[in-house]
Amino acid sequence: MPGTLPQVQRWYQDGAVPAGTGINAATPSLRSEYPDADEEELEFLATKAAEEASTIVAMTSGQRRATIAVDVAGDDTQPVAGGLTSLSLRADVPLPAWAAVFIDDLEWYAVDEIAHLE
């Protein structure tokens, strides 16, 4: 899911990404657009879409971009018009579902490092 570093740190302090947040995922639309792609390729495409979205937010806010990799059940999302990978969260995503965070040029950090990033 795309964001900025301050936003991700706020979510981290709150213990979850809130419902209603826009995310990017390997959606049915993405799967139909790339029928020969495997799961890893689809996740890569969704990550690139999240990276692009976080770049736009970072450019307009002047903050560092951040992308969080999370595990979300399909029932906890709903489609959003306008993108092959676009979804919205129906439920909060608690910290245990966070896998990693990528900052700026996709530097990888463990979730427990978020509080120490500047």
Side-chain angles (χ1 to χ4, degrees):
M1 66 189 53
T4 64
L5 182 55
Q7 184 178 40
V8 168
Q9 289 172 320
R10 193 168 43 256
W11 293 337
Y12 181 80
Q13 290 172 351
D14 293 345
V17 177
T21 300
I23 67 170
N24 299 89
T27 63
S29 296
L30 184 66
R31 293 175 197 287
S32 67
E33 185 74 19
Y34 297 94
D36 296 331
D38 63 23
E39 195 64 28
E40 187 173 316
E41 291 168 320
L42 294 169
E43 289 175 1
F44 175 79
L45 291 169
T47 300
K48 294 303 283 181
E51 176 189 325
E52 289 174 16
S54 66
T55 298
I56 292 167
V57 173
M59 289 173 56
T60 59
S61 69
Q63 299 171 339
R64 294 177 73 186
R65 68 182 175 164
T67 304
I68 306 173
V70 299
D71 293 317
V72 179
D75 293 346
D76 290 339
T77 64
Q78 59 190 13
V80 173
L84 289 175
T85 64
S86 301
L87 296 173
S88 178
L89 294 174
R90 290 182 192 219
D92 293 351
V93 179
L95 283 175
W98 298 21
V101 63
F102 303 94
I103 306 297
D104 295 330
D105 61 352
L106 293 185
E107 297 174 41
W108 180 93
Y109 293 92
V111 172
D112 61 356
E113 294 179 282
I114 292 171
H116 308 289
L117 297 173
E118 297 180 8

